Amino acid sequence: MKIIMLGAPGAGKGTQADRIAAKHGIPHIATGDIFRSNIKEGTELGQQAKKYMDQGLLVPDEVTINMVLDRIQKDDCKDGYVLDGFPRTIPQAESLGKALQERGQKIDFALNVDVPDENIVKRMGGRRACINCGATYHTQFAPPKKDGICDKCGSELVLRDDDKPETVQKRLSVYHEQTKPLIGYYEQIGILATVDGTQEMDQVFNSIETILG
Ligand code: AP5
Ligand code: MG
């Protein structure tokens, strides 16, 4: 099963993609996580991406598209994957569609996690991310067992650099301009499904499971 997660920054794409991946035994491929781990390792890709991410802007398509097309060729992707944060522009969606078509493959579902902007800003301020494994928590809605420590790997939890309120606003406006048009794009292809992302996390997951069947 090949799934794309659509939705505003902070809509819960990562939270739900993680659950889908665990339930269906497929990899969760998050472009934001790949960039953040490259930043942490100080690679050239990381240095390039950081310039854009810190401003709430998108990393250029030339960089992002090849990175994802390479990743989905790997062995662990043969039974499918959940793409989280990609595609994010129409050219990214077109490149993905073309690459899959050449391989005789297609995306099965584009899941749009729908959350209004007002809810987003509140969520981002409370989000904490693990500096080591990228696992995501929320001080109020999904707290770790031990304050400030990752349940999964025991490393420190921090506020992401791009979760400062002014950067969140920029990311939201970039989302509306460049990413939201993908909803219409996938609706036209006939694979779009929208879930109400303002529900509790478990309910959002139940709605998704109903769609995936
Ligand atoms: P990325 O890491 O993808 O960030 P994003 O899209 O802004 O999304 P987030 O990760 O912030 O939110 P999410 O939807 O995953 O929500 P989460 O589950 O964490 O990208 C970062 C940057 O990388 C971009 O700005 C760009 O620069 C670059 N980039 C990445 N991909 C790119 C691409 N394809 N092209 C170009 N550039 C790219 O949830 C948020 C919080 O809410 C958490 O604390 C969570 O616990 C909580 N929460 C989740 N669900 C619920 C719920 N139902 N109720 C209450 N709280 C909830
Ligand atoms: Mg995420």
Side-chain angles (χ1 to χ4, degrees):
M1 188 152 38
K2 298 184 185 62
I3 302 167
I4 287 171
M5 304 300 291
L6 296 176
K13 301 180 297 294
T15 302
Q16 298 300 329
D18 236 3
R19 295 181 181 204
I20 297 168
K23 174 97 189 261
H24 296 271
I26 51 179
H28 170 191
I29 300 172
T31 39
D33 289 350
I34 299 176
F35 289 137
R36 280 183 289 276
S37 81
N38 274 277
I39 291 173
K40 195 175 143 231
E41 284 158 22
T43 69
E44 204 183 313
L45 173 67
Q47 285 170 17
Q48 211 176 352
K50 189 170 168 33
K51 287 188 290 200
Y52 298 94
M53 291 171 75
D54 283 353
Q55 298 178 66
L57 300 173
L58 296 185
V59 179
D61 284 345
E62 310 83 87
V63 177
T64 311
I65 291 171
N66 289 330
M67 180 180 90
V68 175
L69 295 186
D70 280 351
R71 176 65 187 88
I72 61 176
Q73 296 255 49
K74 297 256 158 75
D75 237 21
D76 63 338
C77 291
K78 63 183 187 326
D79 295 328
Y81 40 80
V82 195
L83 287 181
D84 162 15
F86 183 96
R88 237 183 172 92
T89 62
I90 296 283
Q92 290 182 11
E94 287 172 342
S95 303
L96 175 67
K98 189 162 158 273
L100 290 180
Q101 200 177 16
E102 282 165 6
R103 299 171 197 170
Q105 301 174 352
K106 63 174 179 52
I107 297 293
D108 300 295
F109 297 96
L111 294 177
N112 175 31
V113 184
D114 186 32
V115 177
D117 288 7
E118 307 83 83
N119 303 39
I120 298 286
V121 181
K122 203 186 301 170
R123 280 195 192 177
M124 301 299 232
R127 172 163 62 185
R128 296 294 178 271
C130 175
I131 48 165
N132 178 46
C133 75
T136 299
Y137 302 85
H138 193 284
T139 49
Q140 185 184 349
F141 307 122
K145 292 196 182 81
K146 206 169 151 207
D147 216 21
I149 302 293
C150 179
D151 291 351
K152 291 184 184 155
C153 74
S155 300
E156 187 193 351
L157 301 178
V158 295
L159 184 72
R160 248 167 60 178
D161 282 345
D162 58 350
D163 278 351
K164 294 190 285 288
E166 59 280 16
T167 316
V168 170
Q169 285 301 342
K170 182 67 195 166
R171 285 161 62 199
L172 272 172
S173 72
V174 167
Y175 166 75
H176 284 285
E177 273 166 42
Q178 302 194 53
T179 307
K180 212 172 171 193
L182 292 178
I183 294 175
Y185 178 89
Y186 285 112
E187 191 167 28
Q188 209 165 18
I189 294 178
I191 59 166
L192 182 80
T194 296
V195 293
D196 175 2
T198 65
Q199 307 172 91
E200 279 181 21
M201 292 174 202
D202 289 347
Q203 283 170 303
V204 180
F205 187 60
N206 287 341
S207 307
I208 289 175
E209 280 301 299
T210 307
I211 292 163
L212 301 182

